[in-house]
Amino acid sequence: MIVSHVERCSRLSFDGLSDDVKGRPDLLMPLLSVCHNFCDIVYSQFSSRCSLYFDVDADNMAAFWSGWPSRLNKRNHASHHLVKRLTLKSNLQTILSGKALDMLSRPPFSNGIFPRTRFIHFNIAWPREQEREVDNEALLSDSEASIYAFVQRVKQLAPMVNHISITPQYVTLIQHEPTIHLFGSLVSQLFHLASCVEYRSSGMNIPMVLRSELLHGLTHITYDSKGYTVDVRGQLTQVIRQSSQTLQYLVIQARVFIDVAGLIQNADGNYIKYPNLRTLKLEQRKSTPPTHRPDTSGVVLFPNLRHLTINDHYPFGDDVAFRGNSTTLEYLCIMPRRETCDILRQYSVFTASSHPKLQCVKVSGLPDDVPTHFQSTNLFTQFVLNIAPGASARGIAVSEPVDDTFHALDNLHNHACIQVLVLPDTVLPLWFAVSLIRWLPLLSDLHCLSIFADPLTDEASLAEVNAYIQSFRSLINNRLRCWRLSKANSSYFVQIVICVTVVTAICPNFNHIALPSISHNNFMTVLKDAIETGKYKQYEPRLRRLLFWK
């Protein structure tokens, strides 16, 4: 009867399985052996969710699945027609010589197209020393032809691709101009295949000369170059400007400063608006010189911005990043350097209820040049709360220790709408965690570094625990469901058990204590032992619920 029931599982949805089952193929094995339909579903889903990797330089072009569960055997019919993500590794010279085109005409590429592939990542290595010379005009022409043929073959193989990512691998910093132009031509033509493009460099950046005339109408641009950077800012800004009307997602991470003047003004001095930009993330290691910070004179350039991340230095000269989007901004991540804080204060960016849709404010750390009035972490934390008015923000994250800032967090009682509070570098004492639960009646998810049972101790008796709970018997929070710890040392397991016992008593729906995977099983053993000894018998039903969560 069980087999008969399972045989009807052709109607099953892989998305209906829990994450634990999806991540544990061994749990699926019994079903795979008795149900052909379910077997097809599982293999099809993993084929579409994992990335198929090809080394084009290898003579046999062996392929392997990146992210395929180690315990789940691969089947030959894990077919390319299901693949959504491809990774192609090649040396630039392999492409220039035409060998890459030849490899893409062999199995499995000769078996047909990849109709479902939407994302292709290219890992392109720089030519070896003896292969860099491409000075002869005939060779240059042949190389351009090889690039064009290679790109057209990629387009033929994956006609539905809409996301191209390129990661160059350097050998040494190259200044050979003809090869630089060829590399830029390859990047430009590959990017021309998609509306979403990513360029990610690590270590020493390879220079390129973009063919900007090919790159327009893009919706997503990611430029990540935090290594030793060769200046491509002029060409990059030109590409961004050409897509200003269609761009929805823009990420620039650079070791140097970002030339924002080139992003928001054209050669005639006219402002460039980004009417469809939803996500803007800027990270620069150096401060933008005043000459590159134009006065935008109150013009609105980002009217529909929803997610704004400013890591390290704020690149603009005024509040243009916040102007005109107070009713659309949902997420803000910011590092409060002096220049940033001065801008926020000077233009009164955050006033009471000025951002009705703001759901999460995250502060990414305490910089070296923090203003004098933020020298104490107490006032720094207060700054975070001030830019997250309780009328709107439903989540606050402070990525910086607040071990001595509990007085500042007292003001959280003015932020009753907060549902998620993230303090990833803070160890919370039990008394303060209880205070947070009291102040935040809608709090459903609390994240912190760790917890300890202060004012209780490891040796606290049941009577002491009960007395502590009775001291705030009237406090009931029906929303808190999850408490996440980033760190859980075994020496604190007993104190964590005491803490969750107290929380289960005042939060009827609390059912998930999340610990790092390395600590999870050991802690659950300690919790189970505490339950079975009967020490916390009156709280046993609620404590047992915690044992069923991973």
Side-chain angles (χ1 to χ4, degrees), residues 364-532:
S364 59
L366 194 62
D368 296 334
D369 68 340
V370 66
T372 54
H373 54 284
F374 292 136
Q375 282 297 339
S376 76
T377 52
N378 182 11
L379 291 174
F380 172 76
T381 303
Q382 187 60 53
F383 165 79
V384 180
L385 301 181
N386 285 341
I387 65 174
S392 59
R394 296 199 291 272
I396 292 181
V398 184
S399 300
E400 175 260 334
V402 291
D403 51 337
D404 63 342
T405 65
F406 302 127
H407 176 69
L409 289 172
D410 282 349
N411 285 305
L412 278 171
H413 67 269
N414 295 321
H415 300 260
C417 290
I418 292 175
Q419 299 173 19
V420 179
L421 181 63
V422 182
L423 304 169
D425 299 310
T426 299
V427 178
L428 286 180
L430 176 60
W431 67 268
F432 193 76
V434 172
S435 297
L436 292 175
I437 294 171
R438 176 186 293 116
W439 295 332
L440 307 175
L442 300 182
L443 186 67
S444 62
D445 211 330
L446 176 61
H447 303 223
C448 63
L449 179 63
S450 190
I451 52 178
F452 62 102
D454 183 32
L456 302 174
T457 64
D458 291 17
E459 292 77 26
S461 64
L462 178 59
E464 291 174 308
V465 173
N466 284 334
Y468 185 68
I469 293 174
Q470 291 298 319
S471 66
F472 40 79
R473 185 184 184 116
S474 60
L475 172 61
I476 298 293
N477 182 308
N478 289 315
R479 295 297 188 97
L480 187 68
R481 297 179 182 275
C482 180
W483 197 345
R484 303 177 189 274
L485 308 182
S486 303
K487 183 179 180 180
N489 192 297
S490 59
S491 61
Y492 285 91
F493 281 174
V494 173
Q495 293 210 25
I496 296 175
V497 169
I498 294 173
C499 290
V500 297
T501 301
V502 172
V503 172
T504 56
I506 61 177
C507 302
N509 293 312
F510 177 64
N511 58 15
H512 188 189
I513 177 72
L515 283 74
S517 57
I518 194 172
S519 306
H520 174 82
N521 290 338
N522 290 337
F523 171 74
M524 288 301 171
T525 299
V526 173
L527 177 60
K528 185 177 180 181
D529 290 345
I531 294 172
E532 293 180 348

Side-chain angles (χ1 to χ4, degrees), residues 263-313:
L263 294 179
I264 62 179
Q265 280 185 309
N266 59 26
D268 298 327
N270 296 320
Y271 293 110
I272 302 170
K273 296 184 179 181
Y274 296 80
N276 293 300
L277 193 64
R278 303 290 189 269
T279 298
L280 177 62
K281 181 177 180 180
L282 303 176
E283 179 178 335
Q284 58 183 35
R285 302 293 181 85
K286 296 182 180 180
S287 179
T288 303
T291 54
H292 290 263
R293 295 181 176 216
D295 178 5
T296 57
S297 304
V299 67
V300 175
L301 303 183
F302 310 108
N304 290 301
L305 206 59
R306 296 177 183 174
H307 287 219
L308 175 62
T309 297
I310 304 292
N311 282 337
D312 228 328
H313 294 274

Side-chain angles (χ1 to χ4, degrees), residues 7-66:
E7 282 292 346
R8 297 196 298 271
C9 68
S10 60
R11 297 188 298 271
L12 284 177
S13 167
F14 187 80
D15 291 325
L17 297 174
S18 71
D19 289 335
D20 286 338
V21 173
K22 292 176 188 176
R24 291 280 307 279
D26 53 309
L27 299 179
L28 299 174
M29 293 305 177
L31 282 177
L32 298 182
S33 62
V34 298
C35 177
H36 176 74
N37 291 332
F38 186 67
C39 188
D40 285 341
I41 290 173
V42 171
Y43 276 96
S44 295
Q45 289 294 335
F46 276 117
S47 297
S48 65
R49 292 171 185 235
C50 299
S51 179
L52 191 56
Y53 180 98
F54 292 96
D55 187 347
V56 180
D57 291 328
D59 291 335
N60 59 357
M61 188 109 100
F64 69 87
W65 291 92
S66 176

Side-chain angles (χ1 to χ4, degrees), residues 149-191:
F150 173 79
V151 173
Q152 291 305 304
R153 179 57 178 161
V154 170
K155 182 179 180 180
Q156 182 185 37
L157 289 170
M160 302 303 293
V161 66
N162 62 4
H163 192 159
I164 296 289
S165 174
I166 296 176
T167 300
Q169 298 294 316
Y170 71 93
V171 178
T172 58
L173 186 61
I174 308 302
Q175 297 296 340
H176 186 244
E177 289 297 330
T179 310
I180 291 173
H181 279 269
L182 288 171
F183 177 70
S185 180
L186 173 63
V187 171
S188 302
Q189 292 187 54
L190 287 174
F191 280 168

Side-chain angles (χ1 to χ4, degrees), residues 288-343:
T288 303
T291 54
H292 290 263
R293 295 181 176 216
D295 178 5
T296 57
S297 304
V299 67
V300 175
L301 303 183
F302 310 108
N304 290 301
L305 206 59
R306 296 177 183 174
H307 287 219
L308 175 62
T309 297
I310 304 292
N311 282 337
D312 228 328
H313 294 274
Y314 182 79
F316 301 100
D318 52 27
D319 64 333
V320 66
F322 301 92
R323 192 183 304 142
N325 51 46
S326 61
T327 60
T328 63
L329 194 64
E330 299 174 357
Y331 173 90
L332 172 66
C333 177
I334 196 169
M335 177 181 285
R337 286 191 177 276
R338 180 185 303 277
E339 56 200 0
T340 309
C341 297
D342 289 345
I343 290 289

